Amino acid sequence: CYPLLKGTVAVLKWRRKERMFLEGEKIACRSSQDSYCFFSRQTFEKLLIANRGEIACRVIKTCKKMGIRTVAIHSDVDANAVHVKMADEAVCVGPAPTSKSYLNMDAIMEVIKKTRAQAVHPGYGFLSENKEFARRLASEGVTFIGPDTHAIQAMGDKIESKLLAKNAKVNTIPGFDGVVKDADEAVRIAREIGYPVMIKASAGGGGKGMRIAWDDEETREGFRFSSQEAASSFGDDRLLIEKFIDNPRHIEIQVLADKHGNALWLNERECSIQRRNQKVVEEAPSTFLDPETRRAMGEQAVALAKAVKYSSAGTVEFLVDSSKNFYFLEMNTRLQVEHPVTECITGLDLVQEMIRVAKGYPLRHKQTDIPINGWAVECRVYAEDPYKSFGLPSIGKLSQYQEPLHVPSVRVDSGIQQGSDISIYYDPMISKLITYGSNRAEALKRMEEALDNYVIRGVAHNISLLREVIVHPRFVQGDISTKFLPEVYPDGFKGHKLTDLERRELLATAASLYVAEQLRSQRFLGTARIPVAKSKRSSWELSVRLGDGIYPVAVSKDGSSFSVEVDGMKLNVTSEWNLASPLLSVTVDGTQRTIQRLSRNASGDTNIQFLGTVYKLQILTKVAAELSKYMPEKAAEDTSSILRSPMPGAVVAVSVNPGDTVSEGQEICVIEAMKMQNSMIAAKTGKVKAVHCKAGDTVGEGDLLVELE
């Protein structure tokens, strides 16, 4: 018993002497001194995390709470990573390529023996659904924080899992229930099923090794790319083909089961906002499900878990059509990337539950105990350029990084910090940004504020896309499907389209920021510089270029505010004008906006992040604007005769040689970045003049690959 003040909460840490941790499970025991008794349960003394990045950090946080010492593994390029610094011990397992480090079972097993770790949490990806890894751990007497080997085998293989789902009376998608041998067989099967079809890796997940095919040619191409991606990501190139359900929702059920036959469903997660079959925005619960459909999906998910004697946290994914018919997609036998939204609405720590189950303890809850409290939304923040196919990877060093943790009800799961490198070797995720509210509108409003207050410099990122999604009328109304992005942005994502009012707000803000900086430059350590001639300037006539437009803007100082005239309309702009801060809170005619000025130069060019999108402006005095007309402009490069890499990555294959004739749309080479393969095609018909790359080369964004005559 520990004496506590009435009504307080104690966080009890590891008690080394007794070699036990105190979970803080309160029981009905009270002394005259208002003491509480806690029931102590021992799990593990030391746990190794066979992963990296944000999920490794996430597991370490729970282990610290439970009093478990942690061991991190890392590649040589991750030596200074955040998860390495957070862990109690850290050991390098090899060079940067995943096959030589995070997928190197022999090296990881050596670290387990060396550090005497009693258990391993695999996180997600890498070895999290590798039955051979789980088997090797079991043979060494090391606990795998996840399901048993037979469950990984059954559910990790999409072909076998579909057969098991059918036997468990779970709704399944029509398709071929075997392994596709080659491209010719893929075409034959696709014709039998009927187009469109989904080609996907049997051992895969996370959108890798998946292609949609609408005809024979796309089936052959999809088979080639999917098998290569599957081999690269999972070491298993087996593929399956099934009917592609057009315009569905992607809704998944979180399950939790123990080794005593108990299993729960922890409600659903809506994961329909996707690009390239990878989730971008998730939320819990779903706006689409009614209680009856939710219960039916949950019960089928639990039935499947019990059919394979599943024990741990797992996710059963479904496709749901417009009539609320749902079909089993796959079961992920691991912790999902988007698990935080479930934790927010249920109050459970899923990592802690996984560790307890792995130790053999029964579940502490019954189905009737599982609530839906409030609403949670998660945005996956990636180092990607959303203007290129909704997100092609970006690499670089985070020169400035500030998470929006000052915003209420915000959670950020990340594994990076200012100075961290985003490399071509791993997934480009920066963080998972989660907001919580008592209802959906509140959670979305907080997400909007959090995205505006997120500072990421040094790499491209997808904040602009995320913000546009969560404020789009269709998303706000819950009218979504897995086709949301291509339907809303059929010509690709172009950023926020300013209304006339927003354009005036941006112009007024940019002009006021320019004047505020001019005024600051006249002061030195808070005191006005000694002028050559006295000047008490209070008005400025400026010319602001935004996009294709040039706008005259008049600014006058009015106390601590600026009065700005744009389009014949006057706006009042106020701010503290802390120009050293990466975030600026500006109020324009009573409307508060959080902006970021990303860059500026002596030519008047400035980049401002406004409503999530970065706008390029040029601010000049009226005289300078007149003179700028005489400045020559650099001619744009003719890109039809050259092919440049749109992203950093590795050249997987080159399909042409100098002298070859290529047709418009013909594949020239394949670039792999973050385990995703991208086909680079010719922009016009012509003869190949020069090839500047070969298979195995590492290329940067903008590097010249091929020239045409």
Side-chain angles (χ1 to χ4, degrees), residues 238-281:
R238 291 177 305 143
L239 301 177
L240 61 87
I241 298 180
E242 60 190 19
K243 181 71 176 176
F244 175 65
I245 297 177
D246 200 15
N247 215 35
R249 285 175 179 257
H250 185 135
I251 301 176
E252 60 191 30
I253 300 291
Q254 176 71 59
V255 295
L256 183 64
D258 62 23
K259 300 178 186 295
H260 305 275
N262 304 306
L264 307 171
W265 48 275
L266 308 181
N267 303 311
E268 79 278 6
R269 293 186 289 257
E270 173 71 74
C271 307
S272 297
I273 306 299
Q274 303 180 4
R275 54 97 177 88
R276 298 192 298 275
N277 299 310
Q278 288 184 312
K279 301 159 191 172
V280 179
V281 178

Side-chain angles (χ1 to χ4, degrees), residues 404-421:
L405 296 174
H406 60 283
V407 179
S409 301
V410 167
R411 167 177 166 178
V412 182
D413 282 15
S414 66
I416 48 91
Q417 61 186 3
Q418 188 164 305
S420 292
D421 287 307

Side-chain angles (χ1 to χ4, degrees), residues 192-247:
E192 291 174 358
I193 296 171
Y195 288 108
V197 296
M198 172 69 83
I199 304 168
K200 59 184 182 181
S202 175
K208 295 180 176 66
M210 297 176 68
R211 289 291 191 281
I212 299 167
W214 295 82
D215 54 37
D216 292 355
E217 184 180 348
E218 289 186 2
T219 299
R220 292 183 185 279
E221 186 178 80
F223 181 89
R224 177 165 66 97
F225 282 128
S226 292
S227 59
Q228 289 173 355
E229 287 179 3
S232 173
S233 298
F234 316 111
D236 184 343
D237 64 357
R238 291 177 305 143
L239 301 177
L240 61 87
I241 298 180
E242 60 190 19
K243 181 71 176 176
F244 175 65
I245 297 177
D246 200 15
N247 215 35

